[in-house]
Amino acid sequence: MESGKVRSSNFELLRIAAMLMIVMFHIFLHWPKAQLTDMNSIDFFGNGLFNRPEFYPQLWLIHAAMPLGPVGNGLFMMLSGYFLVSREKIDLARVSQKILMQLFFATVLLVIASALFDSLYNQDTGMYLALIVSGEFNNGWWFIGYYFVVIVIAALFLNKFLAGLEEKQYFTFLITLLAFVQFSWSGRLLDGLASELRTAGIGVFFYALGGFLHKYRPFKEIKTRSLLFVIALVNLFHLLSSYNVTRGNIESFIRNGGNGDFVQFIGELGNFDILVVILVVCLFEIFRRIRIPHSRIINFLGSSTFMIYLIHENAFFWSLYNIRDCITLLYDQPFLLLLEILKWTLLDFLLGVSAYTIFGILLRAVRLRRKRAARLLEPMGKGRIELEIASAQKAEDRESL
């Protein structure tokens, strides 16, 4: 969605980084976190190694990954705002077409791939593989609707509204919207009016903030090392908060008698969480300052990120992760589990890039065929027009006689 034909490689690099964060977050979410908290999985693998009221240092690994997904989502919204806020008109038809075509292609590909994999996979393991059905087109991938709603709001009135604001008015709009989303009562009011309206609100905030950073550069006096320090500090604060939550759960478990298995709690951050907002702003500003040569490879990988999201984030891939017990590995060798997750992250990314490449080849083939057909029909069209003109001329001559 970047404005103009030349894509800025530093922002495409940010797009790649954001998608890698999202992929890694989803793997953590649907593999170690799922196995750690799902009693059915614990019973199947017999790996209840963490089911005692204690805080285990190994769990820092999962807690540290929880901001990755929401931060990646925020970065994508800010990227869109950075390049689209200044546009007088957003072509919603073009945006819709691009999303729908990739969504349809990914759904078809996943339905076929999951069926083929299931037919070849050894079912004697007893593990269930979730197969993708056509309904995934309508019911999967929540981020698509989130993104599309914000773009529609921008196209209908937000861009025009923001264009009429001076810097101080623009800042007032941003800080007021942020406060409205952050405060608990007003945030619940939004969700009470419509489910997930609070999330839509933070999406509009990130979009508008991207445009504000593009137009006014408010952080230009802040050193990059200061931004890196803030990122480190926020992550440490998040880990400390996670520790406090776990200690509270342990205390509550003991006070209630301490009977049964203790299930570890891994808290997720909302897209509107203030820690997420701070991390998004700092990372965006750091990548905005990067100066790298124009790279076709980076730009191509950046343009493939939507397909990467579609290919990896579905029940079929979640079930692939859970073929293997990861809790025992987390308990004994957490560094090896991190390597496994990095391997899956790279694999998912490459599979998405491959799918996008195939999609691009097919799309070019269809467009080329259309052009050839148009060229073949063009002389025929001219002949028909000339014939109609000649017939009309003869009719006029007859009427004049």
Side-chain angles (χ1 to χ4, degrees):
M1 292 301 303
E2 184 172 326
S3 177
K5 295 183 179 181
V6 179
R7 303 169 74 95
S8 303
S9 292
N10 61 322
F11 287 109
E12 293 307 306
L13 189 62
L14 175 58
R15 209 181 299 272
I16 294 168
M19 184 49 62
L20 286 170
M21 292 166 62
I22 290 172
V23 173
M24 183 176 288
F25 166 74
H26 286 150
I27 296 173
F28 268 102
L29 186 67
H30 300 298
W31 193 18
K33 182 180 185 295
Q35 289 191 10
L36 183 70
T37 58
D38 181 11
M39 291 306 299
N40 291 327
S41 175
I42 292 170
D43 292 340
F44 180 85
F45 286 113
N47 58 2
L49 299 170
F50 295 97
N51 292 125
R52 291 188 294 274
E54 301 176 25
F55 185 88
Y56 297 87
Q58 300 95 315
L59 298 183
W60 286 124
L61 183 63
I62 306 178
H63 287 295
M66 289 301 100
L68 294 176
V71 170
N73 295 337
L75 288 171
F76 274 106
M77 283 300 183
M78 281 196 67
L79 280 164
S80 295
Y82 189 86
F83 291 105
L84 294 182
V85 160
S86 60
R87 288 192 184 183
E88 294 182 2
K89 182 179 179 181
I90 297 176
D91 190 346
L92 288 178
R94 182 170 177 269
V95 173
S96 302
Q97 184 182 34
K98 289 177 67 175
I99 293 175
L100 287 169
M101 286 194 301
Q102 292 195 48
L103 178 58
F104 179 77
F105 176 80
T107 303
V108 172
L109 188 61
L110 287 167
V111 169
I112 296 172
S114 62
L116 288 175
F117 196 94
D118 183 64
S119 65
L120 298 173
Y121 183 70
N122 183 5
Q123 297 297 320
D124 293 337
T125 61
M127 289 299 296
Y128 168 75
L129 284 180
L131 304 185
I132 304 301
V133 298
S134 59
E136 192 77 2
F137 180 89
N138 304 104
N139 298 310
W141 302 295
W142 75 272
F143 183 82
I144 299 174
Y146 169 52
Y147 172 82
F148 187 69
V149 164
V150 174
I151 296 302
V152 169
I153 291 172
L156 294 180
F157 62 87
L158 182 60
N159 277 13
K160 185 177 181 180
F161 169 73
L162 295 176
L165 301 180
E166 297 178 357
E167 182 176 359
K168 187 176 180 179
Q169 294 171 320
Y170 202 145
F171 176 78
T172 300
F173 169 76
L174 285 172
I175 198 67
T176 303
L177 179 58
L178 178 63
F180 205 97
V181 172
Q182 292 299 318
F183 297 152
S184 61
W185 193 89
S186 54
R188 290 197 303 270
L189 176 64
L190 289 174
D191 279 339
L193 293 173
S195 179
E196 300 296 334
L197 187 57
R198 191 177 190 179
T199 301
I202 199 63
V204 171
F205 168 79
F206 280 133
Y207 178 92
L209 180 59
F212 187 80
L213 264 60
H214 194 178
K215 190 173 183 180
Y216 298 112
R217 308 288 172 87
F219 304 115
K220 59 185 177 182
E221 301 299 329
I222 299 177
K223 302 293 184 182
T224 300
R225 62 175 177 268
S226 299
L227 296 172
L228 292 171
F229 176 75
V230 171
I231 290 173
L233 196 63
V234 168
N235 279 288
L236 286 174
F237 186 78
H238 163 66
L239 292 177
L240 178 60
S241 179
S242 300
Y243 173 80
N244 289 348
V245 170
T246 302
R247 290 298 305 163
N249 291 336
I250 292 171
E251 183 69 21
S252 177
F253 179 79
I254 293 173
R255 286 185 177 183
N256 290 327
N259 298 320
D261 291 323
F262 177 78
V263 179
Q264 297 285 346
F265 177 79
I266 306 293
E268 299 175 35
L269 298 181
N271 287 282
F272 50 80
D273 194 289
I274 189 61
L275 300 184
V276 170
V277 174
I278 295 171
L279 291 172
V280 169
V281 172
C282 290
L283 283 170
F284 190 93
E285 180 63 17
I286 288 172
F287 275 86
R288 189 191 65 79
R289 299 175 180 188
I290 294 175
R291 294 292 178 262
I292 57 175
H294 177 78
S295 170
R296 295 181 63 183
I297 295 176
I298 290 177
N299 292 356
F300 175 77
L301 293 176
S303 66
S304 69
T305 49
F306 181 62
M307 184 65 74
I308 295 168
Y309 166 68
L310 295 175
I311 291 299
H312 92 278
E313 178 58 359
N314 52 78
F316 173 59
F317 272 76
W318 306 343
S319 61
L320 286 177
Y321 307 145
N322 284 284
I323 289 174
R324 181 181 176 186
D325 164 31
C326 70
I327 298 302
T328 303
L329 191 60
L330 175 64
Y331 188 85
D332 294 329
Q333 297 174 301
F335 180 72
L336 290 183
L337 175 61
L338 178 59
L339 291 180
E340 283 293 311
I341 290 174
L342 290 173
K343 182 180 73 175
W344 268 108
T345 301
L346 182 60
L347 177 61
D348 288 358
F349 190 91
L350 293 177
L351 288 173
V353 172
S354 300
Y356 182 74
T357 303
I358 296 170
F359 171 77
I361 292 171
L362 293 176
L363 191 62
R364 289 191 187 93
V366 170
R367 288 173 176 171
L368 183 60
R369 191 165 184 175
R370 284 181 180 176
K371 288 181 179 179
R372 288 176 177 174
R375 289 172 183 171
L376 290 173
L377 292 173
E378 187 176 354
M380 298 174 60
K382 288 182 178 179
R384 283 196 297 269
I385 293 172
E386 291 172 355
L387 182 62
E388 289 175 2
I389 292 174
S391 299
Q393 186 64 45
K394 289 181 180 179
E396 289 179 4
D397 292 341
R398 284 196 299 269
E399 289 178 3
S400 62
L401 292 172

